[in-house]
Amino acid sequence: MPRLALRFSTQTLLLQLGVVLLVVLLSGTVHAWLVSGRIGTQAENQALTLARTVASDPVIRSQVEAISKESGTPPATVLAAGPIQAAAEAARSRTGALFVVVTDETGLRLAHPDRARLGERVSTDPSDALSGKEVTTRNTGTLGPSAGAKVSVYAPGSAVTVVGEISVGYSMESLGQSLAEDIVPIAFTAAGSLVAGVLASFLLRRRLQRLTLGLEPEEISTLVHDQVAVLQGVDDGVIGISADGRITVFNAAARRLLGMPEASGPPGSPATAGTDGHVLTGNDWETAAVPAQLKALTQPSAHDAEAVEIVAGGRVLVANARKALHRKEDLGWVVMLRDRTELQQLTRQLDAVGTMSAALRAQRHEFANQLHTIAGFMSIGQHGQAKDYLARISATGPLKFPVQQAELLQDPYLQAFVGAKSVEADERGVALRIGPETLVREHVTEPQDVTTVLGNLIDNAVNAAVAGSSMQRWVELELLDEPGPDGGTLHIVVADSGDGLGGVEPERVFVEGFTTAEAADGGTARAGGQGLGLALVRQLARRRGGDVRVLESGSPGGPGAVFTATMPKVTGTPDDAPRAEPYAAAEPPAAERKEGHQ
């Protein structure tokens, strides 16, 4: 990406400095212009006042009238020594005016600061004043530029007869000096404003660099596009928490994995948490409706990148948190969520397949031994013995899973899965048997969900039987399907010979994180090593509209606890699904259930 010659923050600083300088210059110029106009107006008003005063002097009026009646104008020497010149110069000296000029009715000077110009015509037009008007002027005369006023001189006792005019002016140089005195505070004010503007510009530049982490606008735009593409494109859940504890990122995958509804507003729009537990960006992390294990990952005492397993939204998730740093600046936390539900289900299925494969290898070895026995009978001519031996083999069936009363299962999937579990249980010294109330007439249509629930319950029951104090170790399983219009419901009951739950509350075993070591009074809880099994199967069953619960807590010495599960819409009768023939168990069916066990 091409970079600019100047960084955006530097460009912003220069632009701000230019704007501040322009505003200060414009403000100072306008202020100076207004002050100059005000001083000039004041000088004109002062000149007008002085001219009126001189024009109203009786001596001036009478002397000007007398000269106006004469046929000519007196010589300059006579005017210089006359009373008009003396009165005009006295008024000019008292007020500091540039000039006080008196003329007759024709505009000839009768008084002037420069006596050599007496008797001459004035340099500016006196017609307005000689016509009876008062005017203020700014012009340049024989004495230089000035701001002044002209008024009429009336004959004594008359307000109509004009016999001359008075012209008073103040030097523009003196006005400039007054303006210079007034400009000093203006200049200080402008300089202070400029310094304040420059300082504010530098502080704004520094804050801009800190907020943008030194990135240019093009880089920020690219990061935003990349963030949206990555966060919405990955299957992993991503949650971002700022350093002040607010949620800044919560992508769609995180909502899906945690079982939360999708956001209704546009990405990045501010929102608040609703009553449905909807978590959106901008909310406080500590009060967000997320599992407590996730919040614990972002505590100061938590180890960075430490992964934990949690159950949320009917899924097993692996979560870890990392501290986000940029140039040693703490940006907060990033929490990653990964789905391990399918992996656990696949692992459980592979375990079942591996167990079944081991059982089949043993059956193959036994079948080879049987063939050798038959061949031996035939070779020595004991045909009757060979016939009886074949009859006994046919009665027991080609497979010898050590599950009792297996003929009650009609579904091939359940036959294979329960048979494999019976081999695994038999290796641990536990007899797995099918209860006499079992009746499954339809086929399993959701094998993954059934594997997860049934496998967890059987495994926990086998563990409880092994850990129990009873000498006879057994696990009894009953399954019953209930047909429905949208799929049948599978009812599962699992019992064992263990010591029960002890003093543990039945509902506590379904709490995420509960393990066997937490069972009270030596009781054996059904939670797996990570405390996820029963919590997961309950969420899975409830998500389908069913449930998993404790039917009986059991007692020390046996029989143990009884768990029941209801799974709707997991069985059906496909048109192309062949019905499986039941297979026989390795031992004759048990005539009755163990006394006292329910």
Side-chain angles (χ1 to χ4, degrees):
M1 181 181 67
R3 297 182 64 87
L4 300 175
L6 294 177
R7 298 183 64 84
F8 176 71
S9 56
T10 304
Q11 295 180 24
T12 304
L13 174 63
L14 295 178
L15 179 61
Q16 290 172 340
L17 292 179
V19 171
V20 170
L21 181 61
L22 180 61
V23 170
V24 170
L25 290 178
L26 287 177
S27 301
T29 302
V30 171
H31 196 180
W33 178 74
L34 294 176
V35 171
S36 176
R38 177 176 56 81
I39 293 177
T41 302
Q42 290 177 352
E44 292 174 353
N45 294 333
Q46 187 176 357
L48 181 61
T49 300
L50 179 58
R52 288 172 177 172
T53 301
V54 173
S56 63
D57 187 352
V59 176
I60 296 296
R61 296 176 67 178
S62 61
Q63 291 295 324
V64 171
E65 181 186 23
I67 293 175
S68 298
K69 289 180 179 181
E70 296 179 0
S71 58
T73 303
T77 55
V78 175
L79 293 175
I84 298 177
Q85 176 71 10
E89 284 299 300
R92 184 182 68 83
S93 300
R94 290 194 308 269
T95 60
L98 177 63
F99 60 83
V100 176
V101 177
V102 181
T103 69
D104 60 9
E105 79 281 1
T106 62
L108 299 179
R109 298 186 182 100
L110 304 179
H112 193 276
D114 186 358
R115 296 183 179 186
R117 297 185 180 277
L118 293 175
E120 298 178 357
R121 186 175 178 81
V122 293
S123 59
T124 58
D125 184 15
S127 58
D128 289 337
L130 293 177
S131 64
K133 299 178 181 179
E134 294 181 347
V135 295
T136 56
T137 61
R138 293 188 190 184
N139 49 40
T140 302
T142 58
L143 297 178
S146 62
K150 294 179 183 293
V151 299
S152 303
V153 178
Y154 294 95
S158 175
V160 177
T161 305
V162 177
V163 295
E165 59 96 13
I166 304 295
S167 179
V168 178
Y170 284 89
S171 173
M172 294 298 293
E173 294 180 357
S174 63
L175 296 180
Q177 293 176 355
S178 299
L179 178 62
E181 294 176 357
D182 290 346
I183 282 295
V184 172
I186 299 176
F188 277 112
T189 302
S193 301
L194 183 61
V195 171
V198 171
L199 180 60
S201 299
F202 274 101
L203 293 177
L204 183 60
R205 175 177 180 267
R206 182 176 179 182
R207 176 170 176 79
L208 182 63
Q209 286 182 326
R210 185 176 63 182
L211 292 177
T212 61
L213 303 178
L215 299 177
E216 296 297 301
E218 296 83 358
E219 296 174 328
I220 295 175
S221 177
T222 301
L223 285 177
V224 171
H225 285 87
D226 293 344
Q227 179 191 22
V228 173
V230 171
L231 292 180
Q232 302 303 325
V234 298
D235 291 333
D236 293 345
V238 180
I239 304 175
I241 301 98
S242 63
D244 58 356
R246 292 181 300 102
I247 300 176
T248 57
V249 177
F250 211 105
N251 69 342
R255 301 179 191 279
R256 175 177 55 83
L257 294 177
L258 293 176
M260 297 177 178
E262 293 295 332
S264 58
S269 62
T272 57
T275 56
D276 58 352
H278 194 172
V279 179
L280 295 175
T281 56
N283 294 337
D284 184 65
W285 173 244
E286 293 299 327
T287 60
V290 297
Q293 293 91 329
L294 293 183
K295 298 178 183 179
L297 292 176
T298 60
Q299 297 300 320
S301 59
H303 297 289
D304 193 15
E306 180 181 1
V308 298
E309 287 189 352
I310 65 173
V311 176
R315 302 174 184 271
V316 177
L317 307 178
V318 176
N320 69 300
R322 290 183 180 275
K323 197 70 174 177
L325 300 174
H326 179 77
R327 298 176 183 175
K328 297 183 180 181
E329 181 180 359
D330 184 6
L331 303 182
W333 291 87
V334 177
V335 179
M336 300 293 297
L337 301 174
R338 298 175 180 86
D339 190 1
R340 284 194 55 184
T341 305
E342 295 181 358
L343 180 60
Q344 282 202 352
Q345 292 176 346
L346 181 60
T347 301
R348 184 173 297 278
Q349 291 179 358
L350 290 178
D351 289 343
V353 171
T355 303
M356 186 177 295
S357 298
L360 291 177
R361 284 196 299 269
Q363 295 293 334
R364 182 180 61 83
H365 180 71
E366 183 178 354
F367 186 67
N369 292 335
Q370 293 172 349
L371 289 179
H372 291 159
T373 302
I374 295 173
F377 280 131
M378 298 298 292
S379 63
I380 61 175
Q382 298 292 332
H383 301 288
Q385 294 289 341
K387 184 177 179 181
D388 295 339
Y389 186 67
L390 284 172
R392 288 196 300 271
I393 291 177
S394 299
T396 57
L399 297 177
K400 293 181 62 178
F401 284 132
V403 57
Q404 303 175 17
Q405 301 184 187
E407 70 277 2
L408 298 177
L409 294 176
Q410 301 296 315
D411 179 70
Y413 177 81
L414 291 177
Q415 291 177 6
F417 184 73
V418 175
K421 284 297 180 181
S422 69
V423 174
E424 184 178 355
D426 186 66
E427 292 178 353
R428 302 183 64 183
V430 178
L432 178 61
R433 64 194 185 201
I434 306 297
E437 303 297 329
T438 296
L439 179 59
V440 180
R441 295 157 293 183
E442 297 184 338
H443 290 272
V444 173
T445 58
E446 299 291 340
Q448 289 189 352
D449 290 351
V450 173
T451 297
T452 301
V453 175
L454 183 59
N456 267 283
L457 294 179
I458 293 177
D459 289 345
N460 291 337
V462 170
N463 292 335
V466 171
S469 59
S470 176
M471 298 301 295
Q472 295 183 356
R473 298 175 178 177
W474 50 265
V475 171
E476 184 167 294
L477 171 67
E478 287 187 351
L479 298 100
L480 179 65
D481 66 334
E482 178 183 353
D486 298 328
T489 300
L490 183 64
H491 301 276
I492 303 172
V493 179
V494 179
D496 60 68
S497 61
D499 293 332
L501 301 181
V504 179
E505 292 292 332
E507 287 299 313
R508 187 182 173 191
V509 300
F510 295 102
V511 176
E512 180 183 345
F514 181 82
T515 61
T516 302
E518 298 181 38
D521 299 333
T524 303
R526 304 296 177 94
Q530 299 297 326
L532 299 175
L534 288 177
L536 174 63
V537 299
R538 168 172 273 191
Q539 288 194 20
L540 190 151
R542 287 182 173 179
R543 188 172 59 185
R544 301 192 64 90
D547 199 3
V548 177
R549 57 190 179 88
V550 178
L551 191 60
E552 294 183 9
S553 298
S555 58
V562 180
F563 280 75
T564 179
T566 303
M567 300 191 65
K569 302 179 183 179
V570 296
T571 63
T573 308
D575 296 336
D576 57 348
R579 302 298 294 181
E581 294 297 332
Y583 59 87
E587 299 178 6
E592 58 183 10
R593 304 174 66 182
K594 182 175 179 63
E595 182 179 357
H597 173 66
Q598 296 182 357

